[in-house]
Amino acid sequence: MNKYLSIALTAGIICTIIHSYNNHYPATQQLADTIYTEAGGEPYIGKLAVATTIFNRARQLSKPPLDIVNTPKQYARRRTSFRQRLSTEYHDCPGLATTLYKMQLTPLDNWTHFYAYKKCTPYWAGALKNKKVIGNHMFGRLD
């Protein structure tokens, strides 16, 4: 087999895998992308903390987690590339997203909000209760 045919076949298989994944799990993919965008550089505990805020808001508002992350100006989300999905930073995100999507996550605490405390202080930050710093984020609950 020549190298061009090999490259084309490999690219075709990868595209098929990506297409299949996106078509069968679009909600979990969006949740995984949100967790990665918000906490991609954090250890697992930071990603779990972000998932915790989504879970708690979903439970509090009786909405699916996807509705929570798709609410304007709440969570950042970028569509991840295939390369990002292979990164070690992304590794934990799909599992957390699946557990979150099924509403089977065991939350770390009752947090509903977080922010990058070294970069900004949102107007609501002073009203946070039960504050805890994990990685580069401050987590807490707004009542």
Side-chain angles (χ1 to χ4, degrees), residues 98-109:
T98 300
T99 306
L100 179 58
Y101 178 75
K102 294 177 181 178
M103 289 299 287
Q104 295 174 344
L105 186 81
T106 302
L108 290 174
D109 211 316

Side-chain angles (χ1 to χ4, degrees), residues 60-120:
Q60 181 181 39
L61 300 172
S62 298
K63 291 184 175 184
L66 194 57
D67 287 359
I68 301 302
V69 300
N70 285 329
T71 302
K73 299 181 181 182
Q74 296 301 307
Y75 290 88
R77 183 179 75 229
R78 291 186 303 270
R79 187 146 184 89
T80 55
S81 68
F82 184 69
R83 173 180 254 168
Q84 286 170 317
R85 291 181 197 157
L86 293 176
S87 72
T88 56
E89 291 85 9
Y90 190 82
H91 177 76
D92 300 317
C93 298
L96 283 170
T98 300
T99 306
L100 179 58
Y101 178 75
K102 294 177 181 178
M103 289 299 287
Q104 295 174 344
L105 186 81
T106 302
L108 290 174
D109 211 316
N110 64 354
W111 306 316
T112 56
H113 290 72
F114 69 96
Y115 64 98
Y117 71 95
K118 293 178 185 175
K119 294 182 180 181
C120 67

Side-chain angles (χ1 to χ4, degrees), residues 1 7 10 16 24 40-41 68 86 93 103-104 124 132 136:
M1 183 181 318
I7 291 169
T10 302
T16 301
H24 294 290
I68 301 302
L86 293 176
C93 298
M103 289 299 287
Q104 295 174 344
W124 44 261
K132 181 165 184 172
N136 294 310

